[in-house]
């Protein structure tokens, strides 16, 4: 079928086809890579869902990590000690309030995060306190009988005291921070395990300068487990408090209060400088100027490019409509019809010139879209044959003016 050389543009909106089916075509062209990405994503989701979720916090009674405390918590539970984990100060107070009477122990894993006011509220509950590696400020808020003395290397040491927990445990892991005891306090294991009376309240204070003996890694060695059980299992209720650095009793400070006062004026000056720079260096757009194309594209190449776009997008219906519209446009010119004439008029005129049935011609010019590429090829051949018949019919009717057909009623 012949192509009109003067039509070098998009005959049927190929841009629309590309816009609509571009994503689908891209997926089809790269279906292997897309499938690989989907497999990787599905595998990652399955691994995430099937991986057992365990607590990783240090000294957490639910953590099975080497630095966790699940082993000690499980043994305490077997001995009838009810352990309640608390991650906030309110939760710790609630656990202490829920304990029967004063038969409760409070373990604080990071005592330096608590303020003096919070320590006063905890001491007022009457619970026995066990704190890990407290600093001088924490000790000053709790007792007058202890003071830090330094740090010692980790090693297994004998108790060196008469506390029941130390006698039951025997040699255990010691070292870390050490403390000096006075005024009724007792120091064991070279000062890394100390008991002292609280300044206020009936409870006692136990300080562990070597808290690693509570962890899963060291609990089963030497006398560490016995020392941990005697220390934390003295009462039937244990509140295991892991303070959160964000859980503070300090008033909330807005972020704007942390900004320096000169930041606002500096931002204003920089913004004004940026606007001046844009006005100074920005390009001024003038009127549009037509320029010739750098190359001349032949009509045949344009038609072939459109055809490949249609084929890659599998737009057989759109391609068929483009072929039918181009054929109808040429048939109007060949039969002398108005360029705006409808398909029915073109079919009637072509039927009169070629002798074909008008419904068959109308079906060929405006029928259903082909379902696949072979049907599209057959349609193109049929349209080309129809044009040849029209050209042959108009040439036989009026050889001198092949573009005009003279009907009998037009003859004077």
């Amino acid at each position: 079928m012949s192509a009109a050389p003067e039509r070098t543009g998009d005959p049927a909106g190929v841009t629309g086809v590309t816009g609509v089916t571009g994503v689908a075509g891209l997926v089809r062209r790269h279906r292997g890579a897309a499938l690989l990405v989907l497999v990787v994503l599905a595998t990652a989701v399955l691994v995430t869902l099937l991986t057992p979720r365990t607590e990783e916090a240090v000294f957490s009674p639910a953590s099975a990590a080497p630095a966790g405390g699940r082993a000690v918590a499980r043994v305490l539970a077997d001995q009838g000690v009810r352990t309640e984990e608390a991650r906030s100060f309110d939760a710790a107070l609630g656990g202490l309030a829920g304990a029967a009477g004063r038969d409760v122990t409070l373990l604080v894993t990071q005592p330096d995060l608590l303020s003096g006011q919070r320590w006063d509220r905890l001491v007022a509950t009457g619970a026995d306190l066990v704190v890990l590696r407290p600093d001088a400020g924490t000790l000053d808020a709790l007792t007058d009988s202890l003071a830090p003395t330094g740090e010692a290397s980790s090693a297994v040491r004998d108790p060196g005291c008469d506390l029941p927990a130390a006698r039951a445990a025997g040699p255990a892991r010691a070292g870390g921070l050490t403390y000096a005891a006075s005024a009724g306090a007792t120091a064991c294991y070279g000062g890394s395990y100390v008991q002292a009376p609280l300044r206020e309240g009936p409870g006692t204070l136990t300080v562990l300068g070597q808290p690693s003996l509570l962890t899963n890694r060291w609990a089963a060695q030497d006398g560490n487990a016995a020392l941990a059980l005697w220390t934390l299992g003295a009462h039937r209720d244990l509140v295991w408090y892991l303070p959160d650095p964000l859980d503070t009793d300090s008033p909330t400070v807005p972020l704007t209060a942390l900004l320096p006062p000169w930041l606002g004026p500096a931002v204003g000056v920089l913004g004004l400088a940026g606007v001046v720079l844009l006005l100074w260096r920005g390009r001024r757009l003038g009127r549009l100027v037509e320029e010739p194309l750098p190359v001349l594209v032949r009509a045949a190449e344009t038609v072939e490019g459109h055809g490949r776009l249609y084929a890659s997008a599998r737009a057989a219906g759109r391609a068929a409509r483009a072929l039918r519209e181009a054929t109808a446009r040429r048939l109007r010119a060949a039969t002398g019809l108005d360029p705006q004439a409808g398909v029915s008029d073109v079919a009637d005129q072509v039927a009169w010139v070629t002798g074909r049935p008008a419904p068959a011609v109308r079906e060929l010019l405006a029928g259903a879209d082909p379902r696949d590429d072979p049907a599209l090829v057959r349609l193109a051949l049929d349209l080309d044959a129809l044009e040849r018949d029209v050209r042959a019919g108009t040439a036989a009717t009026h050889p001198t003016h092949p573009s005009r057909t003279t009907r009998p009623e037009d003859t004077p």
Side-chain angles (χ1 to χ4, degrees), residues 318-367:
R318 182 61 68 92
R321 289 191 292 274
L323 292 174
R324 283 166 167 163
E325 289 176 5
T327 300
R329 184 178 60 252
R330 289 190 290 271
L331 291 178
R332 291 187 188 98
T335 57
L337 291 176
D338 185 87
Q340 304 299 326
V343 176
S344 298
D345 297 336
V346 175
D348 293 339
Q349 186 73 359
V350 169
W352 181 80
V353 171
T354 61
R356 294 190 179 195
V361 177
R362 192 176 298 107
E363 175 66 21
L364 190 59
L365 294 177

Side-chain angles (χ1 to χ4, degrees), residues 113-126:
L113 297 178
L114 302 183
S115 63
Q117 292 80 3
R118 289 193 167 182
W119 277 121
D120 292 341
R121 297 179 64 183
L122 293 176
V123 171
T125 62

Side-chain angles (χ1 to χ4, degrees), residues 93-268:
L93 278 181
L96 294 176
R102 300 174 185 267
D103 192 16
V104 59
T105 302
L106 172 65
L107 169 64
V108 184
T109 59
Q110 291 182 281
D112 303 337
L113 297 178
L114 302 183
S115 63
Q117 292 80 3
R118 289 193 167 182
W119 277 121
D120 292 341
R121 297 179 64 183
L122 293 176
V123 171
T125 62
D128 288 340
L129 303 183
V130 179
V131 295
L132 307 184
R133 295 175 60 93
D135 59 8
T138 300
L139 293 177
D140 290 341
L142 296 176
T143 183
D144 297 325
S145 304
L146 296 179
T149 58
E151 190 165 356
S153 60
S154 299
V156 177
R157 293 186 174 89
D158 293 328
C161 66
D162 293 331
L163 290 178
R167 290 199 309 268
R173 183 174 175 80
L177 293 183
T178 58
Y179 303 88
S182 63
T186 303
C188 305
Y189 298 100
S192 63
Y193 184 93
V194 185
Q195 275 192 359
L198 292 170
R199 181 183 298 115
E200 298 179 0
T204 60
L205 172 65
T206 302
V207 173
L208 291 181
Q210 180 59 273
S212 62
L213 61 90
L214 302 179
T215 62
N216 300 323
R217 179 179 181 183
W218 299 104
Q221 299 185 16
D222 303 306
N224 298 341
L227 186 60
L229 296 179
W230 272 81
T231 303
L232 301 180
H235 302 291
R236 63 179 181 180
D237 289 308
L238 169 65
V239 177
W240 197 305
Y241 180 25
L242 290 83
D244 188 346
L246 300 180
D247 180 26
T248 176
D249 54 354
S250 301
T252 303
V253 179
L255 294 178
T256 54
L258 304 177
L259 301 177
W262 51 263
L263 183 61
V267 171

